[in-house]
């Protein structure tokens, strides 16, 4: 935008002064650009004149009915301490400030810093593993820049955790470091990015682009940044995403001293790759998404190094080596939304991990809005998990499991919420139970409480054998900026 | 295919009878506007329609606002959000909008996309930036509080003309302005209101006040609109909204910054997949 034009555009607005007696101008905009109510709010204030914006969206003060009052006085009288937003037609020293007038902030800094304490209340199953408290510190700044026309976006989101007990959990990652070019009905992202695919809650089966940052938590919701070129086309028939990737990210694992690991520690710097190109094997993915009435439809194809590893014992039998294979995967994710019901399905077919297999998560979410006669919402979740993979494929606990959960959102000003859920395996009577509670403290602090309990027999072959003593409670306090 | 509709008039009718009916119809049609003017429902609709039409052609808009939540004890909490709106394609559908939160900081970047419908439920998606997840959510939650405020979801999303039946009540002066007072009855399901009463000024046809009545028919909330400014010579926007809950004593004030019109927003910016570009 060219600055002098704005002054030209003021002319029609000034010409229109007094066009309406119904404008109630007893207010002004403050330095942040928000409306500040005027002092006169009595009935009849509607007749008071304030000002008007020109076609370009800039405020132009109206000539006051009192000839002795300047526009600046009017703004002051209206209770606005800062009047940078207001044009001063007589050139009284007030100017437009680009940022203030347009409310456009090219740079944004967000993110959080926090502290976490995990408490494992049972003795470790394996020697070397830590007992009791596992304190750590977290930092994730999020820096973004956007050009005024919105065509270019830059994002930088580094993540760092310092863990006092497990050196493998002390780690750094670039969650995002990318540039996005936004066109008319298309956008192109280049750099390290993060995407989320899918609709289910208990398992994220179709979400194959980003590697799991497994050292963070075992819910597979923390992901590592993935280098990519991603072109998205948005048309009447849906959104088509094309991904070209390389620079494979290896899954993170707890160290020998960490909890929530297999019997032998996984050495993630000693991986085996099916492809001789190792990390640099070229990967492709295709993603389609569309909404048709109550249906949200997603489909994908992925070819590349599978994010899930199999494990190979080292020659001396003291640790496990992750092995990454080339896979082809097609998948579908579907949600049907009707009234308070969400019907969900995620399904994949994969080849490259043992024999070709199918896996699925199918379920339903129902929400009681205004539950218990107040403003809280209670959501109930049920999902069935199936996975047909064989023993040559990466291990999974979700071969034929049931998930049930409940989510309570109090809808208060502090966004208090509670989540309780459990995944049961009827074949071996094991269960992984989760409890989560969170609440904002003041404007910038947030406290989260998380408990995971692994219940049931810990005998050979049961899904949580290695984790049977790893039930824990975690308390996390973060400050957001 | 068999014509499912009955024949317009029996073929045995004589030409004269036919002509008489035609004349009666023509006269009836000519008199209909007069009859409608006297019908409070038609008049109420016409007033609401004129108010709705005063906004036609705005295209798209973007505005930042500060939401101030006040407890009955006077304790306040603030939120900052931005609302981007794309005008409806035609009178048969509603506007599309995205609400993006920038504070409180822990929910910064969270966005709600709505495709307003007339009587069928709106389509809504929630974007959770921490996971980069877009989730289609139920829009049955009409009467629930919008982010802990005294505004319900329907106060934000149910602003389409076709979502209500109307009835003209009276004309009276409010805040120094000659206003028409009309009742609105929600036609969509799951509203928390049995009715609302709106004051629309006669000169500029803008809402000045709305009283909301709960499911028991008791006065629940009052919304007042202040700080009206006009953009591009024709589009009126209030810059201070206050919703007072009479039953709890809590209130919520919305203070708006300047609106940006013609920001070049397009349909492709209002699909669920575009939410991941939110910052």
């Amino acid at each position: 935008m060219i600055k002098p034009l704005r002054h030209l555009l003021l002319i029609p607005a000034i010409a229109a002064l007094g066009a309406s007696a119904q404008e109630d101008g007893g207010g002004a905009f403050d330095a942040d650009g928000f409306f500040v109510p005027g002092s006169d709010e009595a009935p009849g204030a509607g007749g008071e004149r304030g000002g008007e914006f020109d076609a370009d969206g800039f405020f132009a003060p109206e000539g006051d009915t009192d000839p002795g009052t300047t526009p600046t006085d009017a703004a002051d009288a209206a209770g606005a301490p800062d009047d940078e937003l207001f044009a001063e037609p007589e050139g009284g020293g007030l100017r437009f400030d680009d940022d203030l007038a347009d409310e456009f902030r090219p740079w944004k800094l967000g993110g959080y810093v926090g502290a976490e304490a995990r408490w494992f209340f049972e003795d470790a199953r394996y020697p070397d593993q830590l007992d009791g408290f596992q304190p750590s510190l977290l930092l994730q700044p999020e820096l973004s820049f956007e050009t005024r026309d919105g065509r270019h976006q830059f994002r930088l989101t580094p993540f760092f955790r310092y863990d006092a007990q497990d050196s493998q959990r002390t780690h750094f990652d670039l969650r995002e470091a990318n540039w996005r070019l936004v066109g008319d009905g298309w956008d192109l992202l280049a750099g390290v990015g993060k995407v989320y695919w899918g609709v289910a809650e208990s398992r994220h089966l179709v979400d194959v682009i980003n590697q799991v940052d497994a050292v963070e938590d075992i819910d597979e919701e923390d992901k590592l940044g993935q280098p990519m070129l991603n072109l998205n086309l948005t048309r009447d028939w849906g959104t088509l995403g094309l991904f070209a990737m390389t620079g494979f990210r290896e899954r993170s694992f707890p160290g020998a001293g960490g909890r929530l690991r297999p019997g032998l520690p996984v050495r993630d710097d000693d991986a085996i790759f099916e492809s001789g190109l190792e990390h640099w094997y070229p990967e492709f993915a295709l993603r389609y998404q569309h909404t048709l009435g109550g249906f949200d439809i997603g489909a994908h194809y992925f070819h590349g190094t599978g994010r899930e590893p199999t494990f190979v014992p080292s020659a001396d039998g003291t640790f496990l080596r992750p092995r990454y294979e080339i896979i082809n995967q097609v998948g579908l994710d579907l949600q049907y939304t009707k009234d308070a019901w969400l019907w969900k399905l995620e399904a994949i077919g994969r080849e490259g991990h043992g024999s070709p297999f199918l896996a699925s998560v199918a379920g339903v979410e129902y929400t009681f809005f205004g539950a218990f006669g107040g403003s809280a919402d209670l959501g109930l979740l049920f999902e069935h998990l199936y996975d047909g993979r064989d023993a040559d494929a990466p291990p999974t606990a979700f071969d034929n499991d049931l998930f049930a959960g409940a989510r309570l959102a109090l809808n208060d000003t502090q966004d208090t919420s509670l989540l309780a859920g459990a995944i049961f395996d009827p074949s071996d009577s094991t269960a992984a139970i989760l409890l989560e509670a969170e609440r904002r403290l003041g404007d910038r602090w947030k406290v989260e409480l998380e408990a995971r309990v692994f219940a049931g027999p810990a005998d050979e072959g049961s899904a949580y054998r290695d984790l049977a003593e790893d039930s824990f409670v975690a308390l996390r306090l973060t400050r957001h900026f | 295919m068999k014509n499912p509709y009955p024949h317009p008039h029996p073929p045995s009718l004589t030409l004269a009878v036919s002509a008489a009916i035609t004349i009666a119809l023509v006269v009836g049609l000519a008199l209909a506007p007069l009859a409608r003017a006297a019908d409070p429902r038609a008049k109420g609709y016409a007033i609401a329609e004129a108010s709705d039409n005063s906004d036609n052609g705005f295209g798209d808009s973007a505005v930042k606002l500060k939401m101030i939540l006040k407890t009955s004890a006077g304790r306040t909490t603030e939120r900052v959000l931005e609302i981007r709106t794309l005008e409806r394609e035609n009178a048969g559908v509603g506007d599309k909008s995205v609400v993006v939160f920038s504070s409180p900081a822990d929910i910064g970047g969270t966005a709600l996309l709505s495709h307003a419908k007339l009587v069928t439920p709106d389509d809504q998606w929630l974007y959770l930036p921490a996971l980069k997840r877009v989730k289609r959510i139920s829009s049955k939650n009409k009467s629930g509080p919008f982010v802990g405020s005294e505004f319900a979801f329907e106060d934000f999303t149910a602003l389409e003309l076709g979502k209500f039946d109307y009835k003209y009540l009276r004309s009276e002066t409010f805040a120094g302005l000659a206003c028409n007072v009309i009742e609105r009855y929600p036609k969509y399901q799951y509203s928390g209101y049995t009715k609302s009463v709106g004051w629309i000024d006669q000169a500029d046809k803008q809402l000045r006040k709305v009283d909301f009545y709960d499911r028991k028919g008791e006065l629940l909330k009052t919304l007042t609109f202040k700080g009206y400014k006009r953009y591009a010579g024709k589009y009126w926007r209030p810059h201070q909204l206050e919703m007072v809950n009479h039953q709890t004593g809590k209130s919520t004030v919305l203070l708006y910054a300047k609106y940006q019109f013609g920001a070049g927003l397009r349909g492709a910016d209002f699909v669920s997949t575009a939410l991941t570009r939110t910052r």
Side-chain angles (χ1 to χ4, degrees):
Chain A
M1 291 217 260
I2 306 157
K3 241 179 178 178
L5 266 180
R6 292 181 187 151
H7 296 283
L8 292 176
L9 289 164
L10 280 176
I11 295 166
I14 293 165
L17 292 182
S20 170
Q22 277 70 45
E23 189 160 19
D24 48 324
F29 295 87
D30 68 11
D32 290 330
F34 293 103
F35 190 74
V36 177
S39 50
D40 183 1
E41 293 185 31
E48 188 187 333
R49 297 180 186 186
E52 193 169 319
F53 294 91
D54 65 14
D56 208 20
F58 293 90
F59 189 81
E62 237 174 40
D64 200 280
T65 44
D66 175 2
T69 312
T70 68
T72 313
D73 292 338
D76 286 341
D82 303 289
D83 45 20
E84 287 94 328
L85 276 175
F86 292 79
E88 167 45 276
E90 270 105 57
L94 293 173
R95 289 165 193 273
F96 289 119
D97 178 293
D98 280 7
D99 284 355
L100 288 171
D102 271 2
E103 276 299 293
F104 177 76
R105 308 258 159 91
W107 291 95
K108 271 188 190 167
L109 178 67
Y112 60 87
V113 58
E116 179 190 280
R118 275 178 171 180
W119 180 48
F120 293 92
F121 45 84
E122 290 176 85
D123 289 339
R125 184 177 186 88
Y126 301 107
D128 305 334
Q129 283 189 309
L130 66 93
D131 277 314
F133 277 104
Q134 183 181 18
S136 59
L137 298 171
L138 308 91
L139 175 68
Q140 182 173 297
E142 296 163 16
L143 184 67
S144 66
F145 175 84
E146 188 173 52
T147 53
R148 177 174 288 268
D149 60 9
R151 281 180 63 80
H152 300 269
Q153 288 184 353
F154 298 86
R155 279 178 197 260
L156 183 66
T157 311
F159 171 82
F160 178 71
R161 180 188 288 272
Y162 170 76
D163 190 294
Q165 295 267 35
D166 181 356
S167 60
Q168 288 298 303
R169 201 164 178 248
T170 295
H171 69 299
F172 172 83
D173 181 45
L174 271 183
R175 298 291 200 231
E176 289 178 284
N178 60 56
W179 161 68
R180 194 194 292 268
L181 179 63
V182 181
D184 191 358
W186 60 271
D187 67 89
L188 176 72
L189 181 140
V192 177
K194 188 177 163 188
V195 296
Y196 184 96
W197 298 350
V199 294
E201 306 299 326
S202 57
R203 188 185 186 193
H204 306 298
L205 201 54
V206 304
D207 192 25
V208 289
I209 294 292
N210 291 85
Q211 178 61 280
V212 175
D213 194 358
V215 78
E216 279 295 298
D217 205 342
I218 62 157
D219 60 7
E220 305 196 341
E221 286 191 346
D222 297 282
K223 298 291 181 97
L224 298 170
Q226 173 64 48
M228 64 172 75
L229 270 175
N230 167 219
L231 175 68
N232 297 300
L233 304 171
T234 306
R235 298 287 185 271
D236 292 341
W237 40 260
T239 302
L240 185 66
L242 302 158
F243 295 78
M245 295 164 286
T246 191
F248 176 80
R249 304 295 312 276
E250 290 171 40
R251 187 169 291 207
S252 63
F253 290 99
R259 303 288 286 259
L260 302 161
R261 67 162 171 83
L264 291 175
V266 181
R267 198 168 282 179
D268 55 17
D269 57 357
D270 200 9
I272 304 162
F273 288 88
E274 178 181 341
S275 164
L277 293 171
E278 299 196 337
H279 302 82
W280 304 108
Y281 185 81
E283 303 180 324
F284 303 96
L286 207 61
R287 170 75 171 157
Y288 172 73
Q289 282 173 278
H290 195 36
T291 298
L292 286 171
F295 290 93
D296 284 57
I297 302 155
H300 75 267
Y301 168 72
F302 172 86
H303 171 83
T305 304
R307 273 41 174 162
E308 296 174 59
T310 50
F311 298 101
V312 182
S314 62
D316 62 3
T318 58
F319 62 93
L320 298 175
R321 300 176 69 188
R323 177 181 154 84
Y324 294 100
E325 283 142 335
I326 307 297
I327 63 161
N328 287 291
Q329 176 173 309
V330 290
L332 174 76
D333 51 298
L334 191 64
Q335 181 175 311
Y336 177 62
T337 306
K338 173 78 178 166
D339 287 338
W341 294 91
L342 313 180
W343 298 88
K344 305 170 183 186
L345 173 70
E346 289 189 22
I348 60 158
R350 186 188 292 173
E351 63 114 19
H353 280 155
S355 306
F357 64 91
L358 298 172
S360 64
V361 183
V364 65
E365 178 172 346
Y366 182 84
T367 305
F368 295 93
F369 295 108
F372 316 116
S375 54
D377 296 333
L378 177 67
L380 299 182
L381 302 140
F382 297 98
E383 290 178 357
H384 174 252
L385 299 87
Y386 165 77
D387 199 308
R389 69 183 65 191
D390 63 25
D392 294 331
T396 180
F398 307 128
D399 56 335
N400 191 357
D401 291 34
L402 292 167
F403 166 76
R407 180 162 40 209
L408 179 68
L410 295 189
N411 292 320
D412 55 347
T413 55
Q414 300 310 117
D415 284 332
T416 310
S417 69
L418 293 154
L419 174 70
I423 299 180
F424 306 96
D425 190 330
S427 65
D428 63 7
S429 303
T430 54
I433 300 159
L434 166 71
L435 286 164
E436 274 179 5
E438 62 175 50
R439 179 174 170 82
R440 179 167 49 248
L441 304 172
D443 280 341
R444 299 202 166 265
W445 294 89
K446 187 172 174 178
V447 61
E448 293 165 272
L449 186 70
E450 176 186 341
R452 286 184 188 275
V453 175
F454 303 97
D459 39 291
E460 203 67 28
S462 87
Y464 303 115
R465 186 177 64 95
D466 292 326
L467 306 177
E469 283 83 25
D470 287 348
S471 299
F472 69 91
V473 178
L475 183 68
R476 193 159 38 244
L477 183 67
T478 45
R479 182 179 166 85
H480 297 256
F481 44 87
Chain B
M1 213 166 86
K2 208 177 133 190
N3 183 358
Y5 302 104
H7 199 273
H9 51 78
S12 62
L13 281 182
T14 65
L15 189 68
V17 172
S18 199
I21 289 170
T22 307
I23 290 163
L25 278 173
V26 168
V27 171
L29 286 173
L31 292 175
L34 292 173
R36 273 208 299 276
D39 173 8
R41 289 176 189 281
K43 187 173 178 184
Y45 182 85
I47 290 164
E49 188 179 34
S51 179
D52 193 62
N53 285 346
S54 74
D55 211 31
N56 278 351
F58 78 89
D60 64 71
S61 69
V63 66
K64 287 190 180 163
L65 55 143
K66 198 180 275 182
M67 176 182 270
I68 303 164
L69 317 177
K70 291 183 190 168
T71 66
S72 52
R75 214 161 52 93
T76 63
T77 312
E78 279 189 14
R79 289 160 186 205
V80 178
L81 45 149
E82 180 173 347
I83 302 178
R84 300 172 196 149
T85 308
L86 185 69
E87 188 175 9
R88 62 194 178 196
E89 287 166 28
N90 57 64
V93 296
D95 294 342
K96 294 177 178 178
S97 65
V98 177
V99 180
V100 185
F101 288 87
S102 49
S103 89
D106 65 304
I107 60 161
T110 301
L112 178 73
L113 167 69
S114 299
H115 290 180
K117 302 288 166 60
L118 298 187
V119 178
T120 54
D122 300 339
D123 294 341
Q124 289 184 328
W125 294 262
L126 188 66
Y127 174 60
L128 304 163
L131 294 175
K132 304 273 166 199
R133 180 175 181 177
V134 176
K135 184 177 180 179
R136 172 84 171 263
I137 58 171
S138 166
S139 63
K140 185 185 174 180
N141 188 21
K142 293 288 182 194
S143 58
F146 183 73
V147 295
S149 75
E150 295 313 305
F151 286 84
F153 273 85
E154 63 188 306
D155 300 334
F156 269 88
T157 57
L159 307 171
E160 305 296 334
L161 178 70
K163 281 187 183 270
F164 303 90
D165 285 324
Y166 301 88
K167 190 169 116 187
Y168 169 77
L169 292 183
R170 61 186 181 273
S171 296
E172 69 178 30
T173 300
F174 172 74
L177 304 170
C179 288
N180 289 316
V181 187
I182 60 169
E183 271 185 343
R184 302 188 301 193
Y185 311 95
K187 283 158 79 173
Y188 52 90
Q189 276 188 295
Y190 310 120
S191 175
Y193 311 126
T194 45
K195 67 170 182 183
S196 55
V197 179
W199 279 254
I200 297 174
D201 77 271
Q202 292 171 353
D204 294 314
K205 302 175 171 54
Q206 302 303 307
L207 268 175
R208 302 288 163 168
K209 182 170 100 157
V210 180
D211 281 339
F212 296 93
Y213 292 83
D214 67 13
R215 291 191 182 115
K216 292 176 212 125
E218 283 162 22
L219 180 62
L220 175 64
K221 301 187 292 192
T222 296
L223 175 61
T224 48
F225 302 77
K226 290 177 188 166
Y228 267 102
K229 307 283 179 198
R230 191 167 55 171
Y231 293 83
K234 48 183 169 175
Y235 304 120
W236 290 96
R237 290 290 182 274
H239 290 73
Q240 182 194 355
L241 268 61
E242 182 169 23
M243 181 74 93
V244 176
N245 187 321
H246 301 292
Q247 297 181 3
T248 63
K250 292 186 197 171
S251 65
T252 299
V253 174
L254 304 180
L255 295 179
Y256 287 72
K258 295 183 303 86
Y259 275 83
Q260 308 280 322
F261 285 90
L265 299 173
R266 296 165 299 243
D269 297 317
F270 293 86
V271 297
S272 62
T273 47
L275 287 173
T276 54
R277 300 200 297 262
T278 308
R279 60 164 211 151

